[in-house]
Amino acid sequence: MNPALRHRVEHVDTDAAGVMHFSRYASLAETAVLSFLHHNGTGLDLFQRHGTELAVTDLHIRYLAPARFRDVVLATTTLERATAATLRARADLARDTGEPLAVAKLVLCAVDTGTGRAVALPAQAARSLKGLTADD
């Protein structure tokens, strides 16, 4: 299941010219990935119950077109790969008309909440993610 995250660009998202600030794309991409995980049974609450959290360790964004004040941005997620401790995901951000705005690629790592060190994904998370990756 891959529901699109919907976000209306508000004043707080924009610069003085009414263009969405570049940093908001990263935030929307991460939110889209976390929403995808939640809708597929692997939300942050699951990680917290196991004493872990997800940390973004790598982020690349290709900007294609500017979003502007009051635009509706849809973000869809593809889980590209899941390893023992990491998730690699892609978030495609587009205007609700279908015009592509940006492509973000993120790597998230499971970390121990106490030490901040990388740990294996909780077993329940690994099971929930099986079959959801693009390379499955």
Side-chain angles (χ1 to χ4, degrees), residues 10-82:
E10 298 297 338
H11 182 264
V12 69
D13 299 322
T14 64
D15 60 19
V19 174
M20 189 164 84
H21 193 266
F22 72 91
S23 65
R24 292 296 293 139
Y25 292 87
S27 177
L28 286 173
E30 182 181 19
T31 300
V33 171
L34 295 177
S35 178
F36 172 87
L37 293 173
H38 175 78
H39 285 290
N40 285 287
T42 315
L44 291 179
D45 53 338
L46 173 90
F47 285 86
Q48 290 171 346
R49 285 195 305 272
H50 290 88
T52 60
E53 58 189 346
L54 289 173
V56 175
T57 59
D58 196 22
L59 170 66
H60 295 273
I61 301 176
R62 182 161 186 241
Y63 300 96
L64 305 170
R68 299 186 183 282
F69 178 64
R70 304 304 288 160
D71 281 350
V72 173
V73 177
L74 301 177
T76 55
T77 299
T78 304
L79 185 61
E80 294 184 333
R81 186 163 188 225

Side-chain angles (χ1 to χ4, degrees), residues 2 36 77-82 88-90 92 105 129-136:
N2 188 1
F36 172 87
T77 299
T78 304
L79 185 61
E80 294 184 333
R81 186 163 188 225
R88 188 175 68 213
R90 172 184 168 135
D92 290 279
K105 294 190 175 193
L129 295 170
K130 195 159 187 70
L132 293 176
T133 60
D135 59 1
D136 280 341

Side-chain angles (χ1 to χ4, degrees), residues 86-105:
T86 65
L87 305 172
R88 188 175 68 213
R90 172 184 168 135
D92 290 279
L93 285 73
R95 208 176 315 279
D96 63 347
T97 62
E99 179 187 4
L101 298 171
V103 175
K105 294 190 175 193

